[in-house]
Amino acid sequence: MTPTPSRTPASAAGRGGGRLRAAGRYLVPDRPSRRLTQLLLGLVLYGVSDAMVILSGLGVEPWDALSQGLTRTVGLSIGIWTNIIGAAVLLLWIPLRLRPGLGTVCNVLLVGTSMDLLLVWATTPDSLWGRWALLLGGVFLNGVATGAYIGASLGPGPRDGLMTGWAARGHSIRGVRWVIELTVLVIGFALGATLGVGTVIYALAIGPLAQVFIPMLEVKSPPAAPAPGTRTTAAEPAASGSASAGPASPGSGPGPDLAQ
């Protein structure tokens, strides 16, 4: 007499395990609280890393050059000017017919504020190696922060939105970025901002770093659930399994050009 095979864990997964795996793999990373937490941490880290680059005294990135120049010419702190400039850039969204998201508003409020919190009590190191450590650490963490807040997909920052919105009208994203950032860099330098080797290192490194961290930290949406009462055939799991094993679609997730 042939023994009756017992139910295997795989067969049990066919009824409820698949839903549990889906919940563990997709739904937890895509909860609103997960996106919001990543957004807020990313924006705070962005401000802190910007402040690290400024504290190195070896040069600042283009938008910080504008804030630093205004601080030295008009007054107020770099963080306050960063927030003011972010709000002003939003006005340029109007002719582009862009709509801000939650991430856009949080960007305006948090980046400059977190910059000032670090700049208030920290000072530029006396040693050259300490200044280089601040510069390189700040540039690296800025790439991580870029991936975190863009990967949360809750709305671009004012500056990123301006670049992508302008590029969407038939222009190269790289060309648009160069025009905008070169413009603010020249204005910042004319107002007394500190440019140097750090400015060059940031310009060369931030694009590749963002290309690494944006896909790595992108919050994935869960796959669409089948309609109630839909019966799946034996061939469908195999097809879905082979699709998941293949390369990702080129159109999935934020494009690397955003950080170019």
Side-chain angles (χ1 to χ4, degrees):
M1 181 176 179
T2 304
T4 303
S6 60
R7 179 175 295 173
T8 62
S11 63
R15 294 191 174 186
R19 289 192 296 272
L20 293 176
R21 284 199 304 272
R25 226 175 133 187
Y26 298 102
L27 299 183
V28 172
D30 195 38
R31 285 176 179 169
S33 59
R34 168 69 167 80
R35 289 180 180 267
L36 183 59
T37 301
Q38 178 171 314
L39 169 71
L40 297 179
L41 290 177
L43 291 175
V44 170
L45 181 60
Y46 197 99
V48 169
S49 60
D50 263 3
M52 292 172 64
V53 175
I54 294 171
L55 285 170
S56 73
L58 296 173
V60 296
E61 59 103 348
W63 285 101
D64 287 345
L66 180 58
S67 298
Q68 189 181 60
L70 287 168
T71 295
R72 292 177 175 177
T73 304
V74 181
L76 302 178
S77 68
I78 294 179
I80 290 177
W81 276 116
T82 297
N83 290 347
I84 292 174
I85 292 170
V89 170
L90 284 180
L91 297 178
L92 300 178
W93 283 32
I94 297 175
L96 297 175
R97 298 181 180 179
L98 302 175
R99 293 182 179 179
L102 176 62
T104 312
V105 177
C106 291
N107 187 299
V108 172
L109 298 175
L110 290 180
V111 173
T113 304
S114 57
M115 287 174 65
D116 274 350
L117 289 177
L118 180 59
L119 292 172
V120 162
W121 62 268
T123 58
T124 300
D126 294 328
S127 62
L128 183 60
W129 71 264
R131 295 168 65 187
W132 272 98
L134 270 179
L135 171 63
L136 298 179
V139 171
F140 177 80
L141 291 178
N142 199 268
V144 177
T146 299
Y149 93 81
I150 292 179
S153 301
L154 290 176
R159 300 155 186 85
D160 290 329
L162 175 63
M163 287 187 289
T164 55
W166 189 3
R169 296 181 173 257
H171 304 284
S172 164
I173 185 69
R174 292 178 180 86
V176 169
R177 185 183 183 109
W178 273 102
V179 169
I180 294 176
E181 295 196 347
L182 186 60
T183 300
V184 297
L185 188 65
V186 170
I187 295 174
F189 178 72
L191 293 174
T194 301
L195 306 185
V197 64
T199 308
V200 178
I201 291 176
Y202 184 92
L204 295 176
I206 191 62
L209 286 172
Q211 285 184 351
V212 171
F213 288 110
I214 289 176
M216 183 183 299
L217 299 176
E218 180 189 4
V219 179
K220 302 286 187 180
S221 298
T230 303
R231 297 184 60 184
T232 59
T233 63
E236 286 178 348
S240 61
S242 61
S244 62
S249 170
S252 60
D257 281 344
L258 183 59
Q260 291 292 317

